[in-house]
Amino acid sequence: MNTGNFILYGASGHGSVILDTLETGGHDVEYFIDDNPNLTIFENVAVISRIGFDNLVKDKARSLIISIGNNKIRKAISTTLSDYDFGQAIHGKAVVSRKVSVGQGTVIMAGAIINANVTIGRHAIVNTGASIDHDCVIADYVHISPGATLCGNVVIEEGVHVGAGATIIPGVRIGAWATIGAGAVVRKDVPNGAMAVGNPVVIKNAGNIK
Ligand SMILES: CC(C)(COP(=O)(O)OP(=O)(O)OC[C@H]1O[C@@H](n2cnc3c(N)ncnc32)[C@H](O)[C@@H]1OP(=O)(O)O)[C@@H](O)C(=O)NCCC(=O)NCCS
């Protein structure tokens, strides 16, 4: 089954996972875009440069996904492509409630579970096996890493990185561009730009948005 062509921006490990997610779902990836001038093929898919891409006539039949794990870089690139259509990659073995809203450019990996009344913004990543319970609100450019657990009613503001296996208890708000360390257990709100690690969580910086 071929249900549409995609272009991935970023030939990297994260790009490999998105490629696999799309191909498993019967989609084709036509090519990668990457800034490495020496890269012409990746995972048996052609790679073109950003300049090469900009010189192409934009084909709205294809959907673009920025396949770069770094939230700031993903945001920076997306703002240079505001006239383009962004697609979504949602693995067939993710469990996503019918009552979930998912923004364009967002990817949801295998084994993720997203329960009712969750809202996820644009260019977000819900990585392998992450669990997001009811009524969470996840903003644009967020990355929820593999195995992380968001209990119900958690709010994740723009650009936050939640590390692998972290747990965030119900009703907590994580401020914009904060980083939650792998394995952290977060019981209280985290300020914008802060780095929170450990169990119980310790704030390692006061929270300057970098
Ligand atoms: C939180 C994190 C981003 C910090 O990385 P960093 O900025 O390089 O920070 P450092 O390694 O210098 O550590 C700073 C301090 O935090 C502590 N720390 C870092 N990560 C920690 C963690 N996950 N749990 C507990 N403490 C942690 C360090 O021991 C150090 O403590 P100290 O100040 O008392 O010496 C990183 O350790 C992390 O957990 N990243 C998550 C990665 C991940 O899940 N990736 C998924 C990709 S799919």
Side-chain angles (χ1 to χ4, degrees):
M1 180 181 59
N2 176 9
T3 54
N5 289 347
F6 282 79
I7 301 163
L8 297 183
Y9 197 132
S12 63
H14 183 54
S16 299
V17 179
I18 297 175
L19 172 68
D20 188 54
T21 295
L22 290 168
E23 290 182 340
T24 301
H27 302 279
D28 281 341
V29 172
E30 193 154 333
Y31 54 85
F32 282 90
I33 306 164
D34 199 271
D35 294 337
N36 179 351
N38 299 317
L39 202 56
T40 55
I41 196 118
F42 181 74
E43 297 267 18
N44 294 320
V45 176
V47 180
I48 67 169
S49 68
R50 174 63 192 267
I51 293 169
F53 174 69
D54 286 342
N55 287 335
L56 291 174
V57 175
K58 292 195 170 42
D59 178 355
K60 297 291 184 185
R62 292 172 295 186
S63 293
L64 180 59
I65 294 176
I66 304 171
S67 47
I68 295 173
N70 182 293
N71 296 341
K72 286 179 186 154
I73 295 174
R74 221 164 46 256
K75 180 172 184 179
I77 291 173
S78 75
T79 58
T80 69
L81 293 163
S82 54
D83 61 338
Y84 211 84
D85 291 336
F86 289 101
Q88 299 172 333
I90 301 177
H91 199 285
K93 291 193 174 165
V95 178
V96 182
S97 161
R98 293 169 295 126
K99 299 178 180 176
V100 168
S101 159
V102 180
Q104 295 307 112
T106 287
V107 298
I108 301 174
M109 305 311 194
I113 299 178
I114 306 177
N115 280 339
N117 304 322
V118 168
T119 301
I120 305 175
R122 291 163 55 84
H123 303 288
I125 302 167
V126 180
N127 224 318
T128 312
S131 173
I132 300 177
D133 220 309
H134 63 88
D135 298 293
C136 287
V137 178
I138 297 173
D140 299 344
Y141 309 108
V142 164
H143 180 179
I144 311 294
S145 292
T149 299
L150 310 191
C151 300
N153 291 299
V154 164
V155 176
I156 308 284
E157 295 184 350
E158 182 178 304
V160 168
H161 181 200
V162 177
T167 299
I168 303 178
I169 72 158
V172 164
R173 174 180 291 268
I174 310 295
W177 301 97
T179 300
I180 309 299
V185 177
V186 185
R187 297 168 47 242
K188 295 179 181 166
D189 291 359
V190 172
N192 292 355
M195 185 171 85
V197 298
N199 177 16
V201 105
V202 173
I203 304 290
K204 287 287 182 183
N205 67 29
N208 298 315
I209 297 181
K210 293 181 230 169

